[in-house]
Amino acid sequence: MPASVGGGDTGGGLKGLATKFCLTGASSMLAEGATFPVDITKTRLQLQGQVCVLHTQVQVQVGLSVLPPTHPHPPNDRPTSRAPG
């Protein structure tokens, strides 16, 4: 198998193992460093949306106890069910 397909030949023995360990760690740090800012931004935007939803829910709950109820349709004066008679 060519060296360009499955990674490079780091040699044998303890030196090869140490080289492979260091290269693996470096590639992991590079990948995390590239994706971390995106993950932080995504999480902050998600939390900001949740805070807005919670804030709106608190306003609605407080508003219902202080303000008169508003209905999307005017109340119906007719009874909803007929009494047996």
Side-chain angles (χ1 to χ4, degrees), residues 16-64:
L17 185 62
T19 303
K20 192 172 219 176
F21 182 78
C22 289
L23 290 175
T24 304
S27 65
S28 176
M29 288 187 289
L30 181 66
E32 188 64 27
T35 58
F36 189 72
V38 177
D39 287 340
I40 290 294
T41 303
K42 177 188 64 104
T43 303
R44 285 185 179 182
L45 287 172
Q46 286 175 340
L47 290 174
Q48 187 179 28
Q50 287 180 359
V51 169
C52 289
V53 169
L54 290 175
H55 184 66
T56 303
Q57 288 175 351
V58 169
Q59 283 181 340
V60 167
Q61 289 176 358
V62 170
L64 288 177

Side-chain angles (χ1 to χ4, degrees), residues 1-11 20 23:
M1 179 185 279
S4 63
V5 174
D9 183 21
T10 57
K20 192 172 219 176
L23 290 175

